[in-house]
Amino acid sequence: MGNGTSQGTALLHCFPHDDVRLRDAAEELVRSDAVAEPRDLERSLRATYPNVVVRGQHPLAAMTGDTAVWYVFRDGSYVPDDTSPDAAD
């Protein structure tokens, strides 16, 4: 499964993209119906990821119908993959 996979309740976008353990943990919680809201997922992930933040997409940003989009930030916010000065080149 790639980043942004749908698990029924929500389409998850996990950051960083390459953290497979975070994505798998989040998807398992959503798939098990243990969470109904982004804050529920955030609470459940906090035991393993103390800085995690989960936010739902604003309704005005939605491109399609019924599936909610949730953003899972392991480090509390988006952190670019490469923050070195040479990355902009």
Side-chain angles (χ1 to χ4, degrees):
M1 284 186 205
N3 194 51
T5 58
S6 177
Q7 298 301 317
T9 300
L11 176 70
L12 301 178
H13 291 284
C14 298
F15 299 93
H17 296 289
D18 61 352
D19 190 337
V20 176
R21 289 180 54 212
L22 170 66
R23 185 181 65 238
D24 289 348
E27 288 177 349
E28 179 60 31
L29 286 164
V30 171
R31 196 173 22 251
S32 72
D33 291 328
V35 297
E37 300 287 330
R39 68 177 169 257
D40 299 332
L41 179 58
E42 182 177 290
R43 238 181 267 124
S44 296
L45 289 170
R46 280 277 165 97
T48 305
Y49 301 96
N51 296 321
V52 75
V53 172
V54 181
R55 296 289 182 253
Q57 182 183 57
H58 192 282
L60 290 176
M63 299 292 284
T64 59
D66 300 329
T67 303
V69 177
W70 296 355
Y71 299 95
V72 181
F73 301 98
R74 181 192 66 195
D75 302 316
S77 64
Y78 175 74
V79 177
D81 292 334
D82 187 355
T83 57
S84 67
D86 296 332
D89 292 338

